[in-house]
Amino acid sequence: MNYHTSYILDKDYYHESFEQSLPFSHRRQLKYPLVLLLVGLALFSMFKLQNNYLGYFLFALAILEVVAYKYQQPWWVARQRLTRAAGNEVTLRIDEQGISTEINAHKKQYSWPQIKEVLSTQKGIIIVTDKGARHYFPARVLNEKVIAFIFDKNKATR
């Protein structure tokens, strides 16, 4: 198989990528123990140590953690849109050697043995490399035959 396509790294792609990758991420849930620990330390420092500056700082860290969780998608999308790759066209090639992408003459090649896992989502697939990097590919640029090929190649190399 020799498949070739391209797509744009736009705002919609980044939103879709975040939403589809979140169930496989460690950030899908608020870190309640951390927030409770920070609030407890803040109260301890304010009432037992009589150090209001430290207490307010720890409260601010707890609030920052809650805000970071609440607005993680807009924050992540905004950071991605500030990169050099944002708004540019990605050229995707899938063949017998592996999966390769090219953005602004910057090429990445992953051979099939380097791809540790392929995860299926509602709107695409996620490949996990042997180094732990995750890459999302939307199903709108892949057809059923290509997706089946990717899963077959991944099973064959495992």
Side-chain angles (χ1 to χ4, degrees):
M1 168 167 282
N2 194 5
Y3 183 75
H4 171 77
T5 189
S6 61
Y7 56 95
I8 304 292
L9 294 176
D10 58 359
K11 186 177 180 180
D12 293 333
Y13 168 80
Y14 288 127
H15 278 286
E16 181 180 327
S17 175
F18 183 88
E19 290 167 359
Q20 298 301 307
S21 300
L22 188 62
F24 304 102
S25 171
H26 66 282
R27 283 293 289 178
R28 63 178 165 212
Q29 185 172 3
L30 180 62
K31 298 176 183 171
Y32 290 107
L34 175 63
V35 173
L36 292 175
L37 176 67
L38 288 172
V39 170
L41 289 174
L43 292 173
F44 178 76
S45 68
M46 290 173 74
F47 294 117
K48 291 292 185 186
L49 300 178
Q50 300 296 317
N51 189 344
N52 289 342
Y53 293 119
L54 179 60
Y56 289 139
F57 177 73
L58 292 171
F59 266 128
L61 284 179
I63 291 169
L64 182 63
E65 177 62 29
V66 172
V67 169
Y69 174 76
K70 174 78 174 153
Y71 296 105
Q72 64 183 332
Q73 182 176 2
W75 175 246
W76 185 85
V77 170
R79 284 184 319 188
Q80 298 306 311
R81 293 186 68 207
L82 292 174
T83 64
R84 282 185 268 164
N88 291 310
E89 184 177 54
V90 177
T91 303
L92 174 66
R93 284 189 172 79
I94 300 169
D95 55 22
E96 294 295 328
Q97 282 73 42
I99 298 174
S100 64
T101 59
E102 183 177 347
I103 307 168
N104 293 340
H106 185 258
K107 293 182 181 184
K108 285 196 177 190
Q109 170 78 31
Y110 296 105
S111 63
W112 293 115
Q114 288 179 303
I115 298 172
K116 182 174 79 174
E117 189 177 8
V118 179
L119 306 168
S120 180
T121 69
Q122 292 176 342
K123 295 182 179 180
I125 62 170
I126 299 171
I127 63 164
V128 182
T129 66
D130 55 356
K131 294 183 181 178
R134 294 170 187 255
H135 303 280
Y136 175 74
F137 298 108
R140 68 178 181 269
V141 300
L142 304 171
N143 59 38
E144 295 291 325
K145 192 175 177 183
V146 173
I147 293 172
F149 175 76
I150 292 171
F151 276 101
D152 289 342
K153 284 302 243 182
N154 183 251
K155 287 179 188 174
T157 59
R158 294 291 135 223

